Amino acid sequence: SKPYKMGEADSFKELSEEDIANLEDDAKANYEAEVQERQALKASARWMLPAKSQISLAIEFATQQTGKSDSVLDFEIVGNSRTFSVSAHGVCAVPAINKQPMVVFTRRARGRPPIEKVHKRYVDGRSAYEFGPLLINKSRSRLEDIKTEFEGMDADADEKVKEAQTMAMFDKLSKLDNADILNISNSGVFDTRVDFTFKVGDNEAPSPFVVWPPFIELPQGETKQVSIWAFPETPELHEDTLVCSIQDNPAVETFPIACLGATPEIEIHGPWEKIQKEAKEEDGEEKTSVGPIIDFDRLLLKRREAKDFSIKNTSSIPVAWRLKLSDNLMNRGEFEVGPTEGVLAPEGVEYIAINFEAVEPFKFDEEKIIIEYSDTEGGLPTAEEQEAGAEGRIETTDIDVRAEAY
């Protein structure tokens, strides 16, 4: 065999059948002779060594389980009671990523808070990442813009420059309420590739969830970011599981994901409810003809009276609102209404005061307060924006106003 010195690596390399066929005759003969010699060494545990000679021994390591393996090879010499020992150490591993939530997710919530109260948190009590309440039917244009920006990066730029650009882009999207970043860290001993998909959805509508980029190349010891997005289309709880497939690793890592689709909703309460209750008690049933109405009845001149009603946000997302008053309510001096616009947090309440002063004899019997409300993401455009073509997503509810000065 070839001379072998302790401490040197064995340079022998097994060749494929195609490589062997391409060898010249002498090289092929030498290769086959060395293969036979190695097979003989492997099949034997006893060797004859002529004086001042040496042989190379091949030690193979194979296991069905990942982890560390240690063993000791003992050599004995005939005629000598001394035993020579060689320690053998091997590690079997597959590519891996760090699956600890404290590493993958930047924000966490302890316990099991209601999903309506959660906003972009990994909830320890449910072992799931939850976006919380999100407005339905969000446009996916922002995601496409991010993709275009990423693909437009200069491929020849310095690595530090590209890394800074990527981090700035991910920091930008992390401020969106329906997007966040995950930290994927290579905790193994090999470079690898990680592919991402969802267990139920497939990154396309009607799945509300998207992961981008769909895969990353992850060198050993490095961490890279991927983004997850939620685009619910219906006002209900949406759940799926992010599946991380690691190249050359038969096991996958999974992370449950959830979001709550929501729409703006309000309730109004006022003095008409007392009228409805009294009517129901008298007749045994509710009179549906009695709707929301502020009725000052008849008021003597120079007298002043105040009434109010409330607007309550019953949805799980903020609601923007404003009042649209009929001409007499807005332009005549008998009425004062306020406040006339605002934003309600979930479960928030705003009280609206209406003051009526009998200035001169007049009967107001066709006045209205129209409550316009929508989401806070462009759903309630200003008058200027509407003139420019903005349509918004405006919902309305009406309140009649009646009064007479005499």
Side-chain angles (χ1 to χ4, degrees), residues 98 103-104 163 167 182-187 216-226:
N98 193 324
V103 175
V104 178
E163 183 178 349
M167 291 300 296
L182 307 183
N183 300 306
I184 308 300
S185 301
N186 187 338
S187 59
I216 54 174
E217 300 288 347
L218 198 58
Q220 179 188 357
E222 289 196 10
T223 297
K224 290 187 177 181
Q225 285 72 38
V226 299

Side-chain angles (χ1 to χ4, degrees), residues 116-177:
E116 294 85 358
K117 304 294 186 182
V118 175
H119 179 61
K120 294 171 61 172
R121 293 286 191 277
Y122 180 86
V123 181
D124 291 333
R126 288 189 286 271
S127 299
Y129 177 86
E130 298 177 359
F131 282 97
L134 295 176
L135 177 66
I136 65 172
N137 296 321
K138 282 177 176 283
S139 170
R140 300 197 180 203
S141 61
R142 191 71 188 98
L143 171 60
E144 298 306 319
D145 291 343
I146 290 289
K147 290 182 179 180
T148 302
E149 183 178 344
F150 187 84
E151 292 167 357
M153 288 183 181
D154 186 0
D156 298 327
D158 182 82
E159 285 298 325
K160 290 186 177 180
V161 174
K162 289 195 292 185
E163 183 178 349
Q165 292 174 336
T166 302
M167 291 300 296
M169 182 178 62
F170 278 119
D171 181 65
K172 189 190 312 181
L173 69 85
S174 70
K175 294 179 173 62
L176 302 176
D177 66 344

Side-chain angles (χ1 to χ4, degrees), residues 312-319 343-349:
K312 180 179 180 180
N313 179 2
T314 58
S315 66
S316 54
I317 58 175
V319 172
V343 174
L344 288 172
E347 300 182 5
V349 178

Side-chain angles (χ1 to χ4, degrees), residues 281-336:
E281 290 175 351
E282 290 178 5
D283 301 339
E285 59 182 16
E286 185 175 346
K287 291 184 178 181
T288 57
S289 60
V290 180
I293 182 171
I294 303 292
D295 192 350
F296 289 94
D297 203 0
R298 305 182 71 204
L299 193 63
L300 287 170
L301 293 177
K302 308 305 180 182
R303 295 289 182 90
R304 185 181 180 92
E305 187 174 343
K307 293 182 181 292
D308 64 32
F309 67 93
S310 65
I311 306 174
K312 180 179 180 180
N313 179 2
T314 58
S315 66
S316 54
I317 58 175
V319 172
W321 64 273
R322 66 179 173 224
L323 303 183
K324 189 174 182 180
L325 308 178
S326 59
D327 290 341
N328 283 334
L329 292 179
M330 180 178 295
N331 299 322
R332 290 185 65 103
E334 287 90 340
F335 291 95
E336 294 177 356

Side-chain angles (χ1 to χ4, degrees), residues 7 29 51 53 80 88 93 97 103 114 126 131 135 153 170 187 190 240 242 261 266 280 314 352 374 398:
S53 66
N80 190 329
I97 61 173
V103 175
R126 288 189 286 271
F131 282 97
L135 177 66
M153 288 183 181
F170 278 119
S187 59
F190 305 105
D240 208 333
L242 178 64
I266 64 170
K280 183 177 180 181
T314 58
I352 314 299
S374 188
D398 299 352

Side-chain angles (χ1 to χ4, degrees), residues 42-266:
K42 288 167 62 177
S44 174
R46 182 182 178 90
W47 305 276
M48 299 293 296
L49 270 69
K52 299 189 181 299
S53 66
Q54 63 181 13
I55 61 172
S56 297
L57 301 180
I59 303 176
E60 290 189 353
F61 172 63
T63 179
Q64 299 298 318
Q65 296 181 339
T66 58
K68 297 180 180 180
S69 298
D70 294 283
S71 186
V72 176
L73 304 178
D74 290 330
F75 296 88
E76 295 179 346
I77 301 174
V78 176
N80 190 329
S81 60
R82 182 181 175 186
T83 299
F84 300 86
S85 299
V86 176
S87 297
H89 174 74
V91 178
C92 179
V94 294
I97 61 173
N98 193 324
K99 61 182 180 181
Q100 296 298 319
M102 65 180 62
V103 175
V104 178
F105 303 98
T106 56
R107 293 176 293 271
R108 303 190 309 281
R110 295 182 178 180
R112 301 174 64 89
I115 190 171
E116 294 85 358
K117 304 294 186 182
V118 175
H119 179 61
K120 294 171 61 172
R121 293 286 191 277
Y122 180 86
V123 181
D124 291 333
R126 288 189 286 271
S127 299
Y129 177 86
E130 298 177 359
F131 282 97
L134 295 176
L135 177 66
I136 65 172
N137 296 321
K138 282 177 176 283
S139 170
R140 300 197 180 203
S141 61
R142 191 71 188 98
L143 171 60
E144 298 306 319
D145 291 343
I146 290 289
K147 290 182 179 180
T148 302
E149 183 178 344
F150 187 84
E151 292 167 357
M153 288 183 181
D154 186 0
D156 298 327
D158 182 82
E159 285 298 325
K160 290 186 177 180
V161 174
K162 289 195 292 185
E163 183 178 349
Q165 292 174 336
T166 302
M167 291 300 296
M169 182 178 62
F170 278 119
D171 181 65
K172 189 190 312 181
L173 69 85
S174 70
K175 294 179 173 62
L176 302 176
D177 66 344
N178 68 322
D180 206 354
I181 59 173
L182 307 183
N183 300 306
I184 308 300
S185 301
N186 187 338
S187 59
V189 294
F190 305 105
D191 295 347
T192 190
R193 164 177 164 150
V194 185
D195 289 83
F196 306 96
T197 188
F198 285 97
K199 188 174 182 180
V200 178
D202 56 359
N203 273 359
E204 300 291 341
S207 170
F209 300 106
V210 176
V211 57
W212 189 84
F215 71 90
I216 54 174
E217 300 288 347
L218 198 58
Q220 179 188 357
E222 289 196 10
T223 297
K224 290 187 177 181
Q225 285 72 38
V226 299
S227 63
I228 52 173
W229 302 69
F231 299 93
E233 296 184 355
T234 54
E236 60 183 333
L237 179 64
H238 299 270
E239 297 177 292
D240 208 333
T241 301
L242 178 64
V243 180
C244 308
S245 302
I246 307 163
Q247 188 178 43
D248 297 326
N249 188 335
V252 297
E253 302 297 347
T254 59
F255 301 101
I257 308 288
C259 72
L260 181 65
T263 56
E265 298 176 0
I266 64 170

